[in-house]
Amino acid sequence: MLKRVDILTLFPELIEPYLTSSILARAQQRQDLNLRAHNIRNFAHNKHHQVDDTPYGGKLGMVIQMEPIYQALATIKTKACQTILLTPAGEKLSMPLCHELVQHEHLVLLSGHYEGFDSRLLNYVDRCVSVGDYVLTGGELPALTLTDALIRLLPGVLGNDESAAMDSFYNGLLDWDVFTRPQKFDIFNVPDVLVSGHHQNIKRWKIKSSLGNTWRYRPDLLARHPFSEEERDLLQQFFVEEDKYEFNSR
Ligand code: ADE
């Protein structure tokens, strides 16, 4: 299980406030967990702590040199660690990938600027991860996104009522709809079943709402979902209530 995350960046000041606030701060106080940001510049042993240079062959922009990153990795890596480069060219972040990565004890995350690292760095990392098909100015937000998604999977980090097992995507489905007081707002009522006190019906309503939301917003997830008999019935019921067509998945 994950105990340590080190993020290498040229902008630790962007990362640190997030690591030391809210759930990530609480997780570090309560658990055997250490999250840290390191400035790659501190590993540049030249006069001005310069970390970049112009690209061979000519191109706009500067490229982060191998030497300071190599030094940083040599200092920070441990035997059991996985080194991950955040890049739009990486494997797309998903819940299954999070479940896999959280099993590692120590992750070293490299946040660079797009096309900003010397490409030989790829020989020194275990994998590349992307947070989606869009380009950000740097890997800092992706590194925090990944860290946040992993930490909330650790046992005891979330309270019971915020449990990760209830999250969207945890079981491959989106969340069910939630409501709070008042019971009637404008012309919209909270579904009767939720105030009925009938636990079995409430449980079935939540599954139905979760299946319905996934059908509505992420049908691609539903196509891969291994339906139980009860789920099949509830989705059928959702379609009838919504006046939709017959459900005829496998
Ligand atoms: N750096 C810039 N854009 C990124 C993305 N989409 N994923 C990971 N790292 C990035």
Side-chain angles (χ1 to χ4, degrees):
M1 264 308 162
L2 194 59
K3 286 192 168 149
R4 178 171 164 195
V5 180
D6 290 290
I7 303 176
L8 303 188
T9 168
L10 288 171
F11 303 100
E13 68 278 11
L14 292 180
I15 305 243
E16 269 150 6
Y18 199 81
L19 298 183
T20 53
S21 310
S22 186
I23 289 180
L24 296 195
R26 193 178 72 186
Q28 289 181 87
Q29 283 153 15
R30 290 199 198 156
Q31 323 265 321
D32 179 14
L33 178 67
N34 197 351
L35 309 174
R36 289 195 53 194
H38 306 266
N39 196 334
I40 296 170
R41 210 172 284 285
N42 294 342
F43 297 89
H45 298 309
N46 55 55
K47 200 162 147 211
H48 299 290
H49 293 289
Q50 190 182 339
V51 291
D52 54 6
D53 206 337
T54 52
Y56 280 113
K59 198 179 180 191
L60 288 181
M62 299 289 273
V63 177
I64 303 173
Q65 293 167 291
M66 284 303 298
E67 189 64 23
I69 299 169
Y70 184 84
Q71 289 298 334
L73 289 177
T75 309
I76 290 162
K77 275 178 73 165
T78 54
K79 265 208 192 95
C81 81
Q82 272 266 308
T83 307
I84 299 176
L85 175 64
L86 282 309
T87 160
E91 181 181 352
K92 208 170 305 162
L93 187 60
S94 63
M95 221 55 227
L97 181 56
C98 289
H99 282 289
E100 188 186 329
L101 292 177
V102 79
Q103 302 303 326
H104 293 280
E105 229 173 72
H106 181 197
L107 295 178
V108 177
L109 308 184
L110 284 165
S111 298
H113 282 232
Y114 188 39
E115 292 185 341
F117 282 122
D118 185 308
S119 296
R120 287 169 290 188
L121 180 58
L122 291 176
N123 298 303
Y124 298 85
V125 303
D126 296 305
R127 65 205 297 168
C128 296
V129 171
S130 162
V131 293
D133 289 344
Y134 45 85
V135 179
L136 297 163
T137 51
E140 284 74 21
L141 288 171
L144 284 175
T145 301
L146 174 59
T147 305
D148 188 289
L150 297 180
I151 299 311
R152 64 199 311 287
L153 293 180
L154 293 173
V157 165
L158 300 181
N160 268 345
D161 54 347
E162 9 170 57
S163 152
M166 314 251 244
D167 281 346
S168 277
F169 299 117
Y170 191 92
N171 62 356
L173 297 174
L174 300 184
D175 277 349
W176 55 78
D177 289 341
V178 294
F179 303 87
T180 189
R181 273 176 273 276
Q183 204 171 322
K184 180 170 167 48
F185 179 80
D186 196 4
I187 57 165
F188 304 105
N189 288 330
V190 173
D192 288 339
V193 59
L194 294 182
V195 292
S196 68
H198 192 301
H199 297 299
Q200 191 56 28
N201 287 353
I202 291 174
K203 189 171 155 240
R204 284 170 60 78
W205 182 90
K206 286 178 176 174
I207 299 171
K208 186 174 62 181
S209 168
S210 175
L211 288 163
N213 282 340
T214 312
W215 174 80
R216 195 174 270 134
Y217 303 116
R218 289 295 305 274
D220 57 310
L221 295 177
L222 214 50
R224 283 182 256 139
H225 186 68
F227 280 88
S228 69
E229 203 56 44
E230 183 186 33
E231 288 175 337
R232 206 175 289 275
D233 288 349
L234 287 169
L235 187 57
Q236 176 66 59
Q237 202 177 312
F238 170 85
F239 287 144
V240 171
E241 285 164 11
E242 297 275 312
D243 207 11
K244 294 285 178 321
Y245 49 76
E246 277 278 296
F247 172 48
N248 57 9
S249 122
R250 294 150 287 144

Coordinates of all heavy atoms in Angstrom, one line a residue, residues 85-91 93 110-115 128-143, ligand 1:
L85 N 6.2 9.4 -15.1 CA 6.3 10.7 -15.8 C 4.9 11.1 -16.2 O 4.1 10.3 -16.9 CB 7.2 10.6 -17.1 CG 7.3 11.8 -18.0 CD1 7.9 13.0 -17.2 CD2 8.1 11.5 -19.2
L86 N 4.5 12.3 -15.8 CA 3.1 12.8 -16.2 C 3.3 13.5 -17.6 O 4.1 14.4 -17.8 CB 2.6 13.8 -15.2 CG 2.0 13.3 -13.9 CD1 1.0 12.2 -14.2 CD2 3.1 12.7 -13.0
T87 N 2.6 13.0 -18.6 CA 2.7 13.5 -19.9 C 1.4 13.2 -20.7 O 0.8 12.1 -20.5 CB 3.9 12.9 -20.7 OG1 3.7 13.0 -22.1 CG2 4.1 11.4 -20.4
P88 N 1.0 14.1 -21.6 CA -0.2 13.8 -22.4 C 0.0 12.5 -23.3 O -1.0 12.0 -23.8 CB -0.4 15.0 -23.3 CG 0.6 16.0 -22.9 CD 1.6 15.4 -21.9
A89 N 1.2 12.1 -23.5 CA 1.5 10.9 -24.3 C 1.3 9.6 -23.5 O 1.5 8.5 -24.0 CB 2.9 11.0 -24.9
G90 N 1.0 9.7 -22.2 CA 1.0 8.5 -21.3 C -0.3 7.8 -21.4 O -1.3 8.1 -22.1
E91 N -0.3 6.7 -20.6 CA -1.5 5.8 -20.5 C -2.6 6.7 -19.7 O -2.3 7.4 -18.8 CB -1.1 4.7 -19.6 CG -2.1 3.6 -19.3 CD -1.5 2.6 -18.3 OE1 -0.3 2.6 -18.1 OE2 -2.3 1.7 -17.9
L93 N -5.3 8.0 -17.3 CA -5.6 7.7 -15.9 C -7.0 7.3 -15.8 O -7.9 7.9 -16.4 CB -5.4 9.0 -15.0 CG -5.6 8.8 -13.5 CD1 -4.6 7.8 -13.0 CD2 -5.4 10.1 -12.8
L110 N 7.1 12.7 -11.9 CA 7.9 13.7 -12.5 C 6.9 14.6 -13.3 O 6.2 14.2 -14.2 CB 8.8 13.1 -13.5 CG 10.1 12.4 -13.0 CD1 10.7 11.5 -14.0 CD2 11.0 13.5 -12.5
S111 N 6.9 15.9 -12.9 CA 6.0 16.9 -13.5 C 6.9 17.8 -14.4 O 7.7 18.6 -13.8 CB 5.4 17.8 -12.5 OG 4.6 17.0 -11.6
G112 N 6.7 17.7 -15.6 CA 7.5 18.6 -16.5 C 6.6 19.5 -17.3 O 5.4 19.5 -17.0
H113 N 7.2 20.2 -18.2 CA 6.4 21.0 -19.1 C 6.4 20.3 -20.4 O 7.4 19.7 -20.8 CB 6.9 22.4 -19.1 CG 6.4 23.1 -17.9 ND1 5.7 24.3 -17.9 CD2 6.4 22.7 -16.6 CE1 5.4 24.6 -16.6 NE2 5.8 23.6 -15.8
Y114 N 5.2 20.3 -21.1 CA 5.0 19.5 -22.3 C 6.2 19.7 -23.3 O 6.6 20.8 -23.6 CB 3.7 19.9 -22.9 CG 3.4 18.9 -24.1 CD1 3.6 17.6 -24.0 CD2 2.8 19.4 -25.2 CE1 3.3 16.7 -25.0 CE2 2.4 18.6 -26.3 CZ 2.7 17.2 -26.1 OH 2.4 16.4 -27.2
E115 N 6.7 18.6 -23.8 CA 7.9 18.6 -24.6 C 9.1 19.2 -23.9 O 10.0 19.6 -24.5 CB 7.6 19.3 -25.9 CG 6.6 18.6 -26.8 CD 6.4 19.2 -28.2 OE1 6.7 20.4 -28.3 OE2 5.9 18.5 -29.0
C128 N 4.4 6.1 -18.1 CA 3.9 7.5 -18.3 C 2.4 7.5 -18.2 O 1.7 6.6 -18.6 CB 4.3 7.9 -19.8 SG 6.0 7.9 -20.1
V129 N 1.9 8.5 -17.5 CA 0.5 8.6 -17.3 C 0.0 10.0 -17.7 O 0.6 11.0 -17.5 CB 0.2 8.5 -15.7 CG1 -1.3 8.8 -15.4 CG2 0.5 7.0 -15.3
S130 N -1.2 10.0 -18.4 CA -1.8 11.2 -18.8 C -3.1 11.4 -18.1 O -3.8 10.4 -17.7 CB -2.1 11.1 -20.3 OG -3.1 12.0 -20.7
V131 N -3.5 12.6 -17.8 CA -4.8 12.8 -17.2 C -5.9 13.1 -18.2 O -7.1 13.3 -17.8 CB -4.8 13.9 -16.1 CG1 -3.9 13.5 -14.9 CG2 -4.4 15.2 -16.7
G132 N -5.6 13.0 -19.5 CA -6.7 13.2 -20.5 C -6.1 13.7 -21.8 O -5.0 14.2 -21.8
D133 N -7.0 13.7 -22.8 CA -6.5 14.1 -24.1 C -6.6 15.6 -24.3 O -7.5 16.1 -25.0 CB -7.3 13.4 -25.2 CG -7.0 11.9 -25.3 OD1 -5.9 11.6 -24.7 OD2 -7.7 11.2 -25.9
Y134 N -5.9 16.3 -23.5 CA -5.7 17.8 -23.6 C -4.4 18.1 -23.1 O -3.8 17.3 -22.3 CB -6.8 18.5 -22.8 CG -7.1 17.9 -21.5 CD1 -6.3 18.4 -20.4 CD2 -8.0 16.9 -21.2 CE1 -6.5 17.8 -19.1 CE2 -8.2 16.4 -20.0 CZ -7.4 16.8 -18.9 OH -7.6 16.3 -17.7
V135 N -3.9 19.3 -23.4 CA -2.5 19.6 -23.0 C -2.6 20.8 -22.0 O -3.1 21.8 -22.2 CB -1.6 20.0 -24.2 CG1 -0.2 20.4 -23.7 CG2 -1.6 18.9 -25.2
L136 N -2.0 20.5 -20.8 CA -1.9 21.5 -19.8 C -0.5 22.2 -19.9 O 0.4 21.7 -20.6 CB -2.0 20.9 -18.4 CG -3.4 20.2 -18.2 CD1 -3.4 19.3 -17.0 CD2 -4.4 21.3 -17.9
T137 N -0.3 23.3 -19.2 CA 1.0 24.0 -19.3 C 2.1 23.2 -18.6 O 3.3 23.4 -18.8 CB 0.9 25.4 -18.7 OG1 0.4 25.3 -17.4 CG2 0.1 26.3 -19.5
G138 N 1.7 22.3 -17.7 CA 2.7 21.5 -17.0 C 2.2 20.3 -16.3 O 0.9 20.1 -16.3
G139 N 3.0 19.5 -15.8 CA 2.6 18.2 -15.2 C 2.2 18.3 -13.7 O 2.0 17.3 -13.0
E140 N 2.2 19.6 -13.2 CA 1.9 19.7 -11.7 C 0.5 19.3 -11.4 O 0.2 18.6 -10.5 CB 2.2 21.2 -11.3 CG 3.7 21.5 -11.2 CD 4.4 21.7 -12.5 OE1 3.7 21.9 -13.5 OE2 5.6 21.5 -12.5
L141 N -0.5 19.9 -12.1 CA -1.9 19.5 -11.9 C -2.1 18.0 -12.1 O -2.8 17.4 -11.3 CB -2.9 20.4 -12.7 CG -3.0 21.8 -12.3 CD1 -3.8 22.6 -13.3 CD2 -3.6 21.9 -10.9
P142 N -1.6 17.4 -13.2 CA -1.7 16.0 -13.3 C -1.1 15.2 -12.1 O -1.7 14.2 -11.7 CB -1.0 15.7 -14.6 CG -1.2 16.9 -15.4 CD -1.1 18.1 -14.4
A143 N 0.0 15.6 -11.6 CA 0.7 14.9 -10.5 C -0.2 15.0 -9.3 O -0.4 14.0 -8.5 CB 2.0 15.5 -10.2
Ligands
ADE1 N1 1.2 17.6 -19.0 C1 0.6 18.4 -19.8 N2 -0.6 17.9 -20.1 C2 -0.8 16.7 -19.5 C3 -1.8 15.8 -19.4 N3 -2.9 15.9 -20.1 N4 -1.6 14.7 -18.7 C4 -0.4 14.5 -18.0 N5 0.6 15.4 -18.0 C5 0.4 16.5 -18.8

